[in-house]
Amino acid sequence: MYSQGLTDAKGQTEPADLLAAFQAKIDREEKIEPRDWMPMAYRKTLIRQMSQHAHSEIVGQLPEGNWITRAPSLKRKMILLAKVQDEAGHGLYIYSATETLGVSRDQLTEELLTGKAKYSSIFNYPTPSWADMGAIGWLVDGAAIMNQVPLCRTSYGPYARSMVRICKEESFHQRQGYEIMTVLARGTAAQKEMAQRALNRTWWPALMMFGPSDKDSKHSEQSMKWKIKRFSNDELRQKFIDATVPQAEHLGLTIPDPELNWNEETGHYDHGEINWNEFIEVIHGNGPCNKERIQARIDAHDEGEWVRAAAEVYQQRHSNTSKSEAA
Ligand code: BYC
């Protein structure tokens, strides 16, 4: 007979002994796999975070896709094209990992297209110059790596395993972005100015990628107990700042934060206050490019209708052929 445990969102009680065994497994650093018992709330948290992550990879193709036709050389075009394709691949791995939790890809897509699901705030900003491709690679992929390397050790097996290859590719992306910034920063005065402006545009939104400050992060405490998250939002943001300031100095560029200062006592950089009102506006659909980004995804989905229809017909014919061969 089970003792009584937590009550889930549907009013069903989850047995305390199963909950305790689940937490003990996590505390032993064993992975949770799709067929294992898991609390409803753990499943729900993972579906929320992983689908937001997958959507971010897919929507994240748009700001850079904007520059594929205008890359300054054939070599730059090939590299950018490969990077954007990598992001599509990342989205697909994470959608597949999310499907192991019992949710369909169609449902996840529907939630993105209807605005129910969030995706990373960073992709709602414009990319008006080529230098933004450098700033995105350097800072956005840099922030992504800082967040995603600990996710390689997240407690849910399929999510953790999908992160390993993604992190390797993100590392290449970060380097290619930094290389673009290096070339511009060492180029003409106009090129250096273009790089500085892209840094000014991207810096604060990149810091917002790590999520609200710890005191306002409603999911962090439980997610850290379940070892879905290994570090808090503020811890990762601070690690990112500490790693990135010397990189900006090496480029001879200035981070647009007058309060940025090395603190001998803490061994970290102090920094200015993030504009949290802007962050809240952006995640609620009111950023500079939110509507444009979702419309682009809706258009892509509509234009892909014939591909999905053709794939279904192919699958039906294929299964009919297999049946008649078997008969
Ligand atoms: N943007 O309690 P909190 C990439 C939401 S793509 C939008 O701290 P949590 C790349 C949050 O969902 C990389 N929403 O939440 C691609 C929650 O809302 P709901 C994307 C945000 O989950 C192409 C609420 O705010 N990476 O690298 O514990 C080209 C409260 O937050 C944001 C991932 O997705 C945000 N920035 O922590 C280049 C990493 N921040 O659902 C590069 C995986 C927070 O309660 N995700 N929210 O309505 C995570 O690690 C965590 O979900 C977060 C937030 C750290 C983002």
Side-chain angles (χ1 to χ4, degrees), residues 56-68 71 74-91 93 122-123 127 130-145 148 165-180 202 209:
S56 304
E57 301 281 0
I58 296 298
V59 178
Q61 295 174 91
L62 296 170
E64 289 174 289
N66 181 34
W67 275 93
I68 290 172
L74 182 60
K75 186 176 143 207
R76 291 289 186 203
K77 190 196 279 265
M78 286 161 65
I79 295 170
L80 187 61
L81 201 54
K83 179 185 190 291
V84 172
Q85 283 179 341
D86 283 352
E87 308 301 355
H90 299 175
Y93 306 148
I122 188 72
F123 302 117
T127 47
W130 170 251
D132 291 281
M133 300 304 97
I136 288 182
W138 171 34
L139 300 172
V140 175
D141 288 273
I145 296 169
Q148 287 171 188
R165 177 164 168 185
I166 291 178
C167 283
K168 285 184 189 160
E169 292 178 352
E170 298 291 21
S171 170
F172 157 73
H173 296 169
Q174 194 269 353
R175 283 170 195 209
Q176 69 84 37
Y178 194 70
E179 197 265 341
I180 292 175
T202 313
M209 285 176 74

Side-chain angles (χ1 to χ4, degrees), residues 4-40:
Q4 295 296 286
L6 286 178
T7 305
D8 73 18
K10 289 183 181 156
Q12 287 165 342
T13 302
E14 297 185 317
D17 49 354
L18 283 184
L19 287 167
F22 176 80
Q23 187 63 48
K25 190 168 184 183
I26 285 180
D27 294 342
R28 289 195 303 272
E29 297 287 337
E30 286 174 29
K31 292 283 177 251
I32 305 299
E33 296 298 339
R35 290 197 177 91
D36 293 344
W37 185 88
M38 62 185 84
M40 280 293 287

Side-chain angles (χ1 to χ4, degrees), residues 48-50 52-54 56-61 64 83 87 90 118-123 136 140-141 144-145 147-148 151 159 170 173 208-213 216-220 223 229 233 236 279 283:
R48 181 187 61 77
Q49 175 170 326
M50 290 167 68
Q52 174 185 311
H53 193 162
S56 304
E57 301 281 0
I58 296 298
V59 178
Q61 295 174 91
E64 289 174 289
K83 179 185 190 291
E87 308 301 355
H90 299 175
K118 292 190 170 73
Y119 57 89
S120 183
S121 49
I122 188 72
F123 302 117
I136 288 182
V140 175
D141 288 273
I145 296 169
N147 169 280
Q148 287 171 188
L151 286 176
Y159 193 22
E170 298 291 21
H173 296 169
M208 294 176 198
M209 285 176 74
F210 295 94
S213 67
D216 296 319
S217 168
K218 56 185 171 178
H219 301 295
S220 279
S223 288
K229 284 167 88 161
N233 298 356
L236 288 175
F279 172 73
I283 67 172

Side-chain angles (χ1 to χ4, degrees), residues 214-230:
D214 291 352
K215 67 177 170 34
D216 296 319
S217 168
K218 56 185 171 178
H219 301 295
S220 279
E221 191 184 345
Q222 183 60 67
S223 288
M224 287 181 73
K225 202 169 157 209
W226 279 329
K227 301 192 180 182
I228 293 174
K229 284 167 88 161
R230 296 279 175 163

